[in-house]
Structure formats: C-alpha cells, structure tokens
Amino acid sequence: MFQLVYVSTAAWPMSNSDIDRILNLSRCNNGRLEITGVLVRMDQGFLQILEGPKDSVLSVFAKVQRDLRHIGLRVLVQQETADRLFADWAMGFEKLDPSAPQSAALYEVTQEAITTSLPTHKARGLAVLLHDYFRLNKRVAA
C-alpha cells in the first residue's frame, strides 16, 4: 500500500459547488482505481491524502500536478504503508473550522503544512492526526 500526502493553495476562490464537483469526480475515479483518502479544506488551502496501489496513486497525483486550479503544490509524504488510514472512503472531505475546539489542533498543524515547510516527522504524524480526528468526530472505522 502506498500513501501520498500533499498540500496546495487554490489558484482562485473556490465555491462549495466547485469543491462538490471535485469530490464527485474523485470518488468515482478513485473507487475504480482502488484509491482511498481524504481532502481537507481550510480557507483557500488544501491537504490531501491518497492511498492505494502505488501506480494508481502516482497516476492520479500526476493529474493533480497538472491541474491549474491550485498553486504551491508540495508533497509532504510519500511512503509504503501496511494499512490504509481511510479505507472506508473513496475520498472523504472536511472543511476545518479554526474556532471549533475539536479541530483547533488539526487546523493549526494543517495551516503550518500549507504555509511553511513541515518537517517529515510532523507530516507523517499529520496523516495519523487526521485519521484520529475523523475516527473520533465523524465515526470513521478505526
């Protein structure tokens, strides 16, 4: 199993319907390619985790890299993993709210990942932090 975590910033303000279109297309394609993961939005920044067969993940990511809807794309983590963190979702989604107590720490570290260079050990921890957040707050399987 291969996992890739990246961050980017929207090239222009995106509406909720723009995000819905991205999610619908991702869920359709990812299911077919055996890819799971999550997309996190905060303000105009994004963090995405893709996991699945390495060739499939890298193929999808190559398309992401060519997508003009975002800028400042940076890979935080590329690694082989024993298990999926988001096995139940072709593409989960969360819009983080910095004022919500349950997501304040996650918002802070995700903001750091988007705006600065996050150390590798912290980036790897971010994927686990996201999994735990969803497991506790969104009832995702452990």
Side-chain angles (χ1 to χ4, degrees), residues 55-83:
D55 290 344
S56 295
V57 169
L58 292 177
S59 175
V60 167
F61 185 64
K63 290 178 185 174
V64 168
Q65 289 177 298
R66 293 187 302 270
D67 191 328
L68 301 177
R69 292 176 289 194
H70 58 129
I71 56 175
L73 187 141
R74 284 190 338 273
V75 174
L76 301 179
V77 176
Q78 291 186 73
Q79 65 184 0
E80 296 290 335
T81 61
D83 300 306

Short mmCIF file of all heavy atoms in Angstrom, two decimals, residues 55-83:
data_model
loop_
_atom_site.label_atom_id
_atom_site.label_comp_id
_atom_site.label_asym_id
_atom_site.label_seq_id
_atom_site.Cartn_x
_atom_site.Cartn_y
_atom_site.Cartn_z
N ASP A 55 1.13 2.57 -8.31
CA ASP A 55 0.96 3.06 -9.68
C ASP A 55 -0.30 3.90 -9.82
O ASP A 55 -0.30 4.93 -10.50
CB ASP A 55 0.92 1.90 -10.68
CG ASP A 55 2.27 1.22 -10.86
OD1 ASP A 55 3.29 1.81 -10.44
OD2 ASP A 55 2.31 0.10 -11.39
N SER A 56 -1.38 3.49 -9.17
CA SER A 56 -2.64 4.23 -9.23
C SER A 56 -2.51 5.59 -8.54
O SER A 56 -2.96 6.61 -9.06
CB SER A 56 -3.77 3.43 -8.59
OG SER A 56 -4.04 2.26 -9.32
N VAL A 57 -1.91 5.59 -7.35
CA VAL A 57 -1.75 6.84 -6.61
C VAL A 57 -0.88 7.81 -7.40
O VAL A 57 -1.22 8.99 -7.55
CB VAL A 57 -1.15 6.58 -5.20
CG1 VAL A 57 -0.72 7.89 -4.53
CG2 VAL A 57 -2.15 5.83 -4.33
N LEU A 58 0.22 7.33 -7.94
CA LEU A 58 1.11 8.22 -8.70
C LEU A 58 0.47 8.71 -9.99
O LEU A 58 0.69 9.85 -10.41
CB LEU A 58 2.44 7.52 -8.97
CG LEU A 58 3.30 7.26 -7.72
CD1 LEU A 58 4.56 6.49 -8.08
CD2 LEU A 58 3.63 8.55 -6.99
N SER A 59 -0.37 7.89 -10.61
CA SER A 59 -1.09 8.31 -11.81
C SER A 59 -2.08 9.43 -11.49
O SER A 59 -2.16 10.43 -12.21
CB SER A 59 -1.80 7.11 -12.42
OG SER A 59 -2.60 7.51 -13.50
N VAL A 60 -2.84 9.27 -10.41
CA VAL A 60 -3.79 10.31 -10.00
C VAL A 60 -3.03 11.57 -9.62
O VAL A 60 -3.42 12.68 -10.00
CB VAL A 60 -4.68 9.81 -8.84
CG1 VAL A 60 -5.43 10.96 -8.19
CG2 VAL A 60 -5.66 8.76 -9.34
N PHE A 61 -1.94 11.42 -8.90
CA PHE A 61 -1.17 12.58 -8.48
C PHE A 61 -0.58 13.33 -9.68
O PHE A 61 -0.50 14.56 -9.66
CB PHE A 61 -0.09 12.20 -7.47
CG PHE A 61 0.63 13.40 -6.93
CD1 PHE A 61 -0.05 14.34 -6.16
CD2 PHE A 61 1.96 13.60 -7.20
CE1 PHE A 61 0.60 15.46 -5.67
CE2 PHE A 61 2.62 14.72 -6.71
CZ PHE A 61 1.94 15.65 -5.95
N ALA A 62 -0.20 12.62 -10.71
CA ALA A 62 0.32 13.28 -11.92
C ALA A 62 -0.76 14.20 -12.51
O ALA A 62 -0.45 15.31 -12.98
CB ALA A 62 0.77 12.25 -12.95
N LYS A 63 -2.01 13.77 -12.48
CA LYS A 63 -3.12 14.62 -12.95
C LYS A 63 -3.29 15.82 -12.04
O LYS A 63 -3.55 16.94 -12.51
CB LYS A 63 -4.41 13.82 -13.02
CG LYS A 63 -4.42 12.78 -14.11
CD LYS A 63 -5.71 11.99 -14.11
CE LYS A 63 -5.64 10.88 -15.13
NZ LYS A 63 -6.81 10.00 -15.07
N VAL A 64 -3.17 15.59 -10.74
CA VAL A 64 -3.28 16.69 -9.77
C VAL A 64 -2.22 17.74 -10.05
O VAL A 64 -2.49 18.94 -10.03
CB VAL A 64 -3.14 16.14 -8.32
CG1 VAL A 64 -2.97 17.27 -7.31
CG2 VAL A 64 -4.34 15.27 -7.95
N GLN A 65 -1.01 17.31 -10.34
CA GLN A 65 0.09 18.24 -10.61
C GLN A 65 -0.17 19.12 -11.83
O GLN A 65 0.31 20.24 -11.89
CB GLN A 65 1.40 17.48 -10.79
CG GLN A 65 1.91 16.88 -9.50
CD GLN A 65 3.17 16.07 -9.72
OE1 GLN A 65 3.17 15.09 -10.45
NE2 GLN A 65 4.25 16.50 -9.09
N ARG A 66 -0.93 18.62 -12.77
CA ARG A 66 -1.23 19.39 -13.99
C ARG A 66 -2.48 20.27 -13.85
O ARG A 66 -2.77 21.08 -14.72
CB ARG A 66 -1.42 18.44 -15.17
CG ARG A 66 -0.16 17.72 -15.59
CD ARG A 66 -0.34 16.92 -16.86
NE ARG A 66 -1.39 15.92 -16.82
CZ ARG A 66 -1.24 14.65 -16.43
NH1 ARG A 66 -0.06 14.23 -16.02
NH2 ARG A 66 -2.24 13.81 -16.45
N ASP A 67 -3.20 20.12 -12.75
CA ASP A 67 -4.45 20.84 -12.52
C ASP A 67 -4.16 22.31 -12.22
O ASP A 67 -3.46 22.62 -11.25
CB ASP A 67 -5.21 20.19 -11.36
CG ASP A 67 -6.63 20.67 -11.23
OD1 ASP A 67 -6.91 21.85 -11.55
OD2 ASP A 67 -7.47 19.88 -10.78
N LEU A 68 -4.70 23.21 -13.01
CA LEU A 68 -4.44 24.63 -12.86
C LEU A 68 -5.25 25.29 -11.75
O LEU A 68 -5.08 26.50 -11.50
CB LEU A 68 -4.72 25.35 -14.19
CG LEU A 68 -3.88 24.87 -15.38
CD1 LEU A 68 -4.29 25.60 -16.64
CD2 LEU A 68 -2.40 25.04 -15.09
N ARG A 69 -6.11 24.53 -11.08
CA ARG A 69 -6.95 25.12 -10.03
C ARG A 69 -6.18 25.35 -8.73
O ARG A 69 -6.72 25.95 -7.81
CB ARG A 69 -8.16 24.23 -9.75
CG ARG A 69 -9.14 24.19 -10.91
CD ARG A 69 -10.26 23.24 -10.64
NE ARG A 69 -9.75 21.88 -10.70
CZ ARG A 69 -10.52 20.80 -10.77
NH1 ARG A 69 -11.84 20.93 -10.77
NH2 ARG A 69 -9.99 19.60 -10.82
N HIS A 70 -4.95 24.86 -8.66
CA HIS A 70 -4.19 25.11 -7.43
C HIS A 70 -2.74 25.44 -7.73
O HIS A 70 -2.22 25.15 -8.80
CB HIS A 70 -4.31 23.94 -6.46
CG HIS A 70 -3.86 22.63 -7.00
ND1 HIS A 70 -2.98 21.84 -6.35
CD2 HIS A 70 -4.15 21.97 -8.14
CE1 HIS A 70 -2.75 20.75 -7.05
NE2 HIS A 70 -3.46 20.81 -8.14
N ILE A 71 -2.12 26.09 -6.76
CA ILE A 71 -0.73 26.53 -6.86
C ILE A 71 0.01 26.10 -5.59
O ILE A 71 -0.62 25.70 -4.61
CB ILE A 71 -0.63 28.06 -7.04
CG1 ILE A 71 -1.35 28.79 -5.91
CG2 ILE A 71 -1.18 28.48 -8.40
CD1 ILE A 71 -1.22 30.30 -5.93
N GLY A 72 1.31 26.21 -5.62
CA GLY A 72 2.10 25.94 -4.43
C GLY A 72 2.01 24.50 -3.96
O GLY A 72 2.13 24.23 -2.76
N LEU A 73 1.82 23.58 -4.88
CA LEU A 73 1.69 22.17 -4.51
C LEU A 73 3.02 21.66 -3.96
O LEU A 73 4.07 21.86 -4.56
CB LEU A 73 1.28 21.37 -5.74
CG LEU A 73 0.94 19.92 -5.46
CD1 LEU A 73 -0.24 19.50 -6.30
CD2 LEU A 73 2.12 19.03 -5.72
N ARG A 74 2.96 21.02 -2.79
CA ARG A 74 4.15 20.43 -2.17
C ARG A 74 3.81 19.07 -1.61
O ARG A 74 2.81 18.91 -0.90
CB ARG A 74 4.66 21.31 -1.02
CG ARG A 74 5.38 22.54 -1.46
CD ARG A 74 6.09 23.26 -0.32
NE ARG A 74 5.61 23.01 1.02
CZ ARG A 74 4.61 23.68 1.62
NH1 ARG A 74 3.97 24.63 1.00
NH2 ARG A 74 4.27 23.40 2.86
N VAL A 75 4.61 18.08 -1.93
CA VAL A 75 4.45 16.74 -1.36
C VAL A 75 5.06 16.74 0.02
O VAL A 75 6.20 17.16 0.21
CB VAL A 75 5.13 15.68 -2.26
CG1 VAL A 75 5.09 14.32 -1.59
CG2 VAL A 75 4.48 15.64 -3.62
N LEU A 76 4.29 16.27 0.99
CA LEU A 76 4.79 16.17 2.37
C LEU A 76 5.31 14.78 2.67
O LEU A 76 6.30 14.62 3.38
CB LEU A 76 3.67 16.52 3.36
CG LEU A 76 3.04 17.90 3.24
CD1 LEU A 76 1.95 18.06 4.28
CD2 LEU A 76 4.09 18.99 3.37
N VAL A 77 4.60 13.75 2.17
CA VAL A 77 4.95 12.37 2.48
C VAL A 77 4.67 11.49 1.28
O VAL A 77 3.61 11.62 0.66
CB VAL A 77 4.13 11.84 3.69
CG1 VAL A 77 4.44 10.38 3.96
CG2 VAL A 77 4.36 12.67 4.94
N GLN A 78 5.59 10.61 0.97
CA GLN A 78 5.38 9.50 0.03
C GLN A 78 5.97 8.29 0.73
O GLN A 78 7.16 8.28 1.01
CB GLN A 78 6.13 9.71 -1.28
CG GLN A 78 5.60 10.83 -2.14
CD GLN A 78 6.30 10.87 -3.48
OE1 GLN A 78 6.07 10.01 -4.32
NE2 GLN A 78 7.17 11.85 -3.66
N GLN A 79 5.13 7.30 1.01
CA GLN A 79 5.65 6.16 1.76
C GLN A 79 4.81 4.91 1.53
O GLN A 79 3.63 4.99 1.22
CB GLN A 79 5.71 6.47 3.25
CG GLN A 79 4.33 6.70 3.88
CD GLN A 79 4.41 7.11 5.34
OE1 GLN A 79 5.48 7.23 5.91
NE2 GLN A 79 3.26 7.31 5.96
N GLU A 80 5.47 3.78 1.70
CA GLU A 80 4.77 2.50 1.74
C GLU A 80 4.17 2.36 3.13
O GLU A 80 4.81 2.75 4.12
CB GLU A 80 5.74 1.35 1.47
CG GLU A 80 6.36 1.36 0.08
CD GLU A 80 5.36 1.03 -1.02
OE1 GLU A 80 4.34 0.35 -0.77
OE2 GLU A 80 5.61 1.47 -2.16
N THR A 81 2.95 1.86 3.20
CA THR A 81 2.29 1.66 4.49
C THR A 81 1.69 0.26 4.54
O THR A 81 1.38 -0.33 3.50
CB THR A 81 1.16 2.69 4.73
OG1 THR A 81 0.18 2.53 3.71
CG2 THR A 81 1.69 4.10 4.71
N ALA A 82 1.53 -0.25 5.74
CA ALA A 82 0.95 -1.58 5.92
C ALA A 82 -0.57 -1.53 5.68
O ALA A 82 -1.14 -2.45 5.10
CB ALA A 82 1.25 -2.11 7.31
N ASP A 83 -1.20 -0.46 6.14
CA ASP A 83 -2.66 -0.36 6.09
C ASP A 83 -3.10 1.01 5.61
O ASP A 83 -2.37 1.99 5.73
CB ASP A 83 -3.25 -0.60 7.49
CG ASP A 83 -2.91 -1.97 8.04
OD1 ASP A 83 -3.20 -2.96 7.34
OD2 ASP A 83 -2.35 -2.03 9.15
#
